[in-house]
Amino acid sequence: MATTAPVHPVDEVPPVRHLAAFGLQHVLAMYAGAVAVPLIVGGAMKLPPADLAYLITADLLVCGIATLLQCVGFWRFGVRLPVMQGCTFAAVSPMVLIGTTGGGLPAIYGAVIVAGLAIVLLAPVFGRLLRFFPPLVTGTVILIIGVSLLPVAGNWAAGGAGAEDFGEPRNLALAAFVLVVVLGVQRFAPPFLSRTAVLAGMAAGLAVAVPFGFTDFGGVGDADWVGVSTPFHFGAPVFEASAIVSMLVVALVCMTETTGDLIAVGELTGRKTEPRPLADGLRADGLSTVLGGVFNTFPYTAYAQNVGLVGMTRVRSRWVVAAAGGMLVLLGLLPKLGAVVAAIPAPVLGGAGLVMFGTVAASGLRTLAQVDFRGNHNLTVVAVPVAVGMLPVGVPTVYDRFPDWFQTVMHSGISAGCLTAVALNLLFNHLPARAGSVGAEAGGLPDGGGEQRVEKPREEVV
């Protein structure tokens, strides 16, 4: 009898009830971040409430389409891994500057469309750079992604940045309650329920939050039942040179961050990210960004918080995240549903976020455990990028006096740390070892040894 080849966990299709529960977890994990970008940009431009609501529904719709494109894929678009897509925060400052200095939304969308096309064209180039990401670099980048997200969870747990009751003990108590429920369900519940620990924790937190006045569902009644985003709602795109240049810098940052996220998902799911799938994933990012410019929203990238959810739940199916993308499409077409999700209080998200983001950081440490740190400079290759990546997280204003393009790159701890890790790995492990140096004494790489090491990025060759 013929035997069928085993299906990789990434390609498994869970039952519908599991798809719904696991997919909803992913939506709840990324929702706050997804709607934050249109709120910040629209608020800075002083748009009326109706336009802000339109930006949010358009964003959710394209988030869903971008996620489906990345998970399901077609032709050479989509990495076909469990990856959630959302608006990138790296573009916020440049877009606010473009929108408030006379260009308005049409100039933003013109620059976004050009940036998306540039990402599509540059995707194969970035795909070939994957050989410069051995476990030493990938582990460092994944660690930086996780640690840089922890302040986000901290802000949520305290009530949300800018909240009037920020830091109130009751906010932190609610976040702690959600954290305890998540851990308890993960430890003691049956296998299926343990994988929905985040959903269970957030449901329990919401059940406590409503009677204690943490949230208000008044906005649900005011929201429309149906809302469809039409192309170029705010006018035809305007292509301004200065706006395009700044958005191209954002595109490079987004590609760097997405590369780190896709490598992290590959490590967590057991399907290593190879050059061609990486290029396909970046190409999908570019197409999603073009769609963002057409449908009145912004540049798109992989969301690291959902990488942590994949690692925590150990649910590796890309169809789960595709189901989440379908839910986002519904939220974008049905604003009333979006208003229900938006009513979830920040401390509930914070309690769950602490587990998810910490899981990403721990995954980076697990990857670094494969690396030999004896008699070489590998400890420096890890230490300096982590420090550079954490600098803008700990001191957000550290680069405020630098040029805009420099701020765009370095204000993202993920891109700053990733670039530093790649550069230091090349410096210490790919250049010929100098006689008498630590690497040479420990059998360091001779001339040409760096290239041999580059060609085997997934093996332990230190």
Side-chain angles (χ1 to χ4, degrees), residues 54 57-58 61 224-229 329-336:
Y54 194 94
T57 55
L61 175 64
D224 296 328
W225 277 105
V226 179
V228 180
S229 178
V329 171
L330 285 177
L331 292 175
L333 296 175
L334 303 174
K336 198 172 285 290

Side-chain angles (χ1 to χ4, degrees), residues 173-246:
L174 177 59
F177 170 73
V178 172
L179 176 61
V180 169
V181 173
V182 170
L183 296 176
V185 171
Q186 189 176 13
R187 174 62 181 86
F188 298 108
F192 167 69
L193 288 179
S194 69
R195 293 179 176 179
T196 62
V198 171
L199 181 61
M202 295 179 76
L206 188 60
V208 171
V210 172
F212 283 93
F214 279 92
T215 188
D216 179 17
F217 287 94
V220 178
D222 299 333
D224 296 328
W225 277 105
V226 179
V228 180
S229 178
T230 55
F232 306 125
H233 174 79
F234 295 99
V238 175
F239 300 96
E240 295 184 355
S242 59
I244 290 172
V245 170
S246 63

